[in-house]
């Protein structure tokens, strides 16, 4: 790897597995030190071991808990002395079905975790370091936020809001802080398991590239957006979907 992130420090939320861990691994491989967060401490400890001694720390907690956010940022600054990069990867989708029938408490939870907490992480990271030293933020959205997504409509609505939030923050925080997003299609993770389990070949056949995504596919694009290779890119949502949206497909 090129060492694009040598001397830089990142926080990656929702990074005990899947896309988040893939992003953290890519950043470490390119020279960064990282703080990873998620709810389960044991899974985080295992992930940190994978990332390498001295390269990663972890802080367990709920992504939408302000006290957890404060703890993670404080731990990052104490251990590494700086914070340059933030990846808002945490996302939930606890309901499946028609939006007209969805439980409103679940909707509130989806938006609190997928949108409000992303804003809160950005606010706190900005106040703690990015406002003074600059940096970059990437939000992990979804192609479900780009068009109607039957049966996961509230998840899609939250990701649409996250995409708009990305644009708002890009306008507000430039020129010192760039803010972008990625919008994946189905990636082979535990989170997306229900969308392809037992029928992967059938689902993949709808994609022009004839395969589902891997965490590394998303990590590569996130790393680009965080790096100085994307120094003139802000407020953009990069679709990473194997071509699915070209054919009219949706999650």
């Amino acid at each position: 790897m090129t060492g694009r992130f040598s001397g830089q420090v990142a926080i990656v939320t929702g990074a005990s597995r899947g896309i988040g861990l893939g992003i953290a691994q890519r950043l470490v491989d390119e020279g960064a030190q990282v703080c990873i967060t998620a709810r389960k401490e044991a899974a985080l400890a295992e992930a940190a071991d994978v990332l390498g001694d001295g390269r990663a720390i972890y802080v367990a907690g709920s992504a939408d808990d302000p006290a957890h956010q404060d703890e993670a940022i404080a731990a990052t600054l104490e251990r590494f002395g700086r914070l340059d990069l933030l990846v808002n990867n945490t996302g939930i989708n606890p309901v499946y079905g028609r939006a007209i029938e969805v439980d409103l408490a679940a909707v509130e939870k989806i938006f609190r975790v997928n949108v409000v907490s992303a804003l809160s992480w950005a606010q706190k990271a900005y106040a703690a370091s990015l406002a003074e030293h600059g940096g970059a933020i990437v939000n992990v959205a979804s192609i479900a936020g780009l068009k109607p997504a039957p049966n996961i409509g509230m998840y899609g609505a939250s990701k649409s809001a996250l995409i708009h939030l990305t644009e708002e923050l890009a306008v507000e925080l430039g020129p010192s802080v760039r803010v972008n997003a990625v919008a994946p299609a189905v990636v082979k993770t535990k989170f997306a398991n229900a969308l392809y389990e037992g029928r992967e070949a059938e689902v993949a056949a709808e994609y022009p590239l004839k395969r589902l995504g891997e965490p590394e596919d998303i990590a590569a694009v996130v790393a680009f957006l965080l790096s100085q290779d994307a120094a003139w890119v802000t407020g953009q949502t990069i679709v990473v979907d194997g071509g699915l949206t070209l054919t009219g497909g949706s999650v």
Side-chain angles (χ1 to χ4, degrees), residues 40-111:
K40 297 181 179 179
E41 185 166 359
L44 279 171
E46 184 177 338
D49 285 342
V50 170
L51 293 171
D53 184 46
R55 306 304 302 175
I57 62 170
Y58 64 88
V59 179
S62 297
D64 58 331
D65 178 3
H68 164 64
Q69 297 164 5
D70 289 336
E71 181 185 4
I73 291 172
T76 301
L77 294 174
E78 180 179 357
R79 175 64 178 273
F80 300 125
R82 60 188 295 162
L83 174 59
D84 308 280
L85 312 169
L86 170 66
V87 180
N88 281 310
N89 173 67
T90 299
I92 63 167
N93 183 40
V95 293
Y96 186 84
R98 300 203 309 163
I100 197 65
E101 298 164 349
V102 73
D103 177 67
L104 295 183
V107 174
E108 291 176 355
K109 179 66 174 178
I110 290 168
F111 273 80

